[in-house]
Amino acid sequence: MTMDGHRRWDLARDRGFHGIPDDDEEGHGFQPFHFVVLADTQFGMITNNGSVDEEVERVRKAVEAINQLKPSFVIVCGDLINAHPDIYEDLGEQTELDQVSTFKRVMSEIQDDIPLVCVCGNHDVGNRPTPEYIDRYKARFGDDYFSFTHRGVKFIVLNNQLYSDPSAAPDAFSEQHEWFEEELKRASIEDARHILVFSHIPWFIYKADEPDQLPNEAKGEQSAMPPSYFHIPRERRLMALLLMRHYGVRACFTGHWHRNWERTSLGINLVITCAAGMPLDSDDKWGYRIVKVLEDKLEHKYFESDGKVPQVGFEEETSGWSCLGTHES
């Protein structure tokens, strides 16, 4: 069963997400839940904007698993498509539109009762976002940044392409950063059980104060990329991370690196999820991450999209799952 019309793509609006209830019932105690993280579906990447058949096959396997897992929601951490004109200047608009249509068609196969949350990436709003690029994204997928609460947990979605390069949209960057601080304050005042932040580009790879120039081992085959392509430049990175540290953000989930990776710095847990479409490390396979939200911690694990459906249990700690515990200052 698929969602009719445009309703699935109109849920992120007015800086909120209107498809996930805040059903934390007072007096009944916290009820654990789980959600699924995808990243970089990036339809068109494998063939450099030719056929999307391979991505369709890979992502559909993830969708099939999601429909059986019945998570509270699914979130895609950016790069929904590949052919953005800021990156492929000589490519016609029709290729981009076709990839948007493919993303919506495949992701609409997720059952109606499982909300889909989209995060914008550089292939969605550009390496250097402009107001026009952002408006075009919003017309297709909803707001580029917003928040929602589910069972007392605060979820904040950011357009951190603006932290990567705000030069073409400085007002949008300032407005989002001010909004972000207010959302963190509100979560603190409301005593959110956890605060989780979602964006596309990793805030850091190794540590919060790392230099803009990453070592070549972090770039792999993409060694010719600009210095801060795979993380946020240090100045604006620390602007955001110090806010997160101050307000006790439990974890940040990102994509963009097309690899699986975990690091903790400034007491903030960073979890990078490999691509659902095309991984860039031969040790990683396309897949998805399951995140279990417990009263005092998170547990998460990455699974290949191989047709098998994992079991999600809450009764006891599950072997092989990573644990994100109490925030440390």
Side-chain angles (χ1 to χ4, degrees):
M1 183 170 65
T2 58
M3 190 167 283
D4 294 333
H6 301 285
R7 190 156 55 93
R8 188 182 285 280
W9 314 109
D10 190 38
L11 298 177
R13 63 182 187 275
D14 304 321
R15 301 304 174 205
F17 191 86
H18 301 274
I20 301 173
D22 180 9
D23 56 358
D24 189 22
E25 300 180 14
E26 292 185 9
H28 295 281
F30 173 74
Q31 296 297 313
F33 63 96
H34 68 288
F35 62 91
V36 170
V37 178
L38 297 174
D40 301 277
T41 48
Q42 210 160 336
F43 291 93
M45 180 180 179
I46 293 174
T47 61
N48 196 27
N49 298 311
S51 169
V52 298
D53 291 350
E54 188 64 30
E55 286 99 350
V56 167
E57 181 180 349
R58 294 177 180 187
V59 175
R60 272 198 168 129
K61 287 183 179 178
V63 168
E64 290 169 2
I66 287 164
N67 284 335
Q68 296 184 65
L69 286 165
K70 301 288 186 183
S72 292
F73 63 89
V74 180
I75 186 163
V76 186
C77 283
D79 280 4
L80 316 181
I81 65 166
N82 191 60
H84 193 276
D86 178 47
I87 299 170
Y88 298 96
E89 296 178 358
D90 298 328
L91 201 62
E93 183 184 17
Q94 191 58 48
T95 300
E96 181 190 15
L97 293 174
D98 288 346
Q99 290 177 7
V100 170
S101 177
T102 299
F103 176 87
K104 290 188 173 184
R105 173 169 52 85
V106 174
M107 301 308 282
S108 289
E109 294 172 11
I110 296 173
Q111 293 174 352
D112 284 0
D113 57 350
I114 303 174
L116 173 66
V117 181
C118 293
V119 181
C120 63
N122 58 308
H123 284 263
D124 306 311
V125 295
N127 288 326
R128 183 173 177 260
T130 66
E132 177 188 0
Y133 288 155
I134 293 170
D135 285 346
R136 187 163 60 182
Y137 173 87
K138 290 167 67 175
R140 294 168 175 171
F141 301 108
D143 282 356
D144 58 325
Y145 62 92
F146 52 91
S147 69
F148 60 93
T149 303
H150 182 60
R151 299 192 186 179
V153 178
K154 183 76 167 184
F155 297 88
I156 300 177
V157 172
L158 293 178
N159 173 1
N160 80 342
Q161 300 306 130
L162 289 169
Y163 284 88
S164 177
D165 185 351
S167 61
D171 290 344
F173 167 72
S174 297
E175 289 168 9
Q176 179 183 226
H177 187 70
E178 291 172 7
W179 172 90
F180 183 34
E181 183 170 11
E182 288 303 313
E183 287 299 302
L184 290 170
K185 286 180 182 177
R186 183 176 293 112
S188 179
I189 292 169
E190 295 173 353
D191 196 24
R193 184 166 280 109
H194 308 293
I195 305 173
L196 307 180
V197 175
F198 298 82
S199 59
H200 179 58
I201 297 181
W203 298 97
F204 56 88
I205 299 297
Y206 300 105
K207 58 182 181 177
D209 63 347
E210 66 196 14
D212 288 348
Q213 180 68 56
L214 285 168
N216 284 337
E217 66 181 29
K219 298 181 180 181
E221 296 179 1
Q222 288 74 42
S223 59
M225 291 295 189
S228 288
Y229 183 78
F230 287 110
H231 64 174
I232 299 298
R234 187 176 187 274
E235 179 182 358
R236 291 181 295 276
R237 177 199 320 153
L238 290 175
M239 283 177 62
L241 290 176
L242 290 173
L243 274 181
M244 294 188 223
R245 179 188 185 187
H246 179 73
Y247 288 105
V249 168
R250 173 82 69 188
C252 297
F253 292 88
T254 74
H256 188 59
W257 209 29
H258 291 243
R259 300 167 176 85
N260 287 308
W261 189 257
E262 289 182 62
R263 279 294 184 275
T264 300
S265 187
L266 284 182
I268 300 168
N269 300 295
L270 174 74
V271 181
I272 304 174
T273 296
C274 186
M278 181 180 174
L280 292 180
D281 190 322
S282 60
D283 291 335
D284 287 320
K285 302 297 182 183
W286 51 92
Y288 54 91
R289 186 178 307 280
I290 301 175
V291 183
K292 297 192 294 185
V293 183
L294 307 174
E295 190 162 15
D296 60 347
K297 63 182 178 180
L298 308 179
E299 293 179 0
H300 66 94
K301 187 174 181 179
Y302 185 83
F303 294 89
E304 295 179 22
S305 298
D306 57 4
K308 301 175 183 177
V309 181
Q311 297 296 314
V312 181
F314 295 98
E315 300 304 320
E316 57 186 29
E317 189 166 333
T318 310
S319 176
W321 291 62
S322 296
C323 178
L324 305 178
T326 304
H327 171 83
E328 298 176 359
S329 59

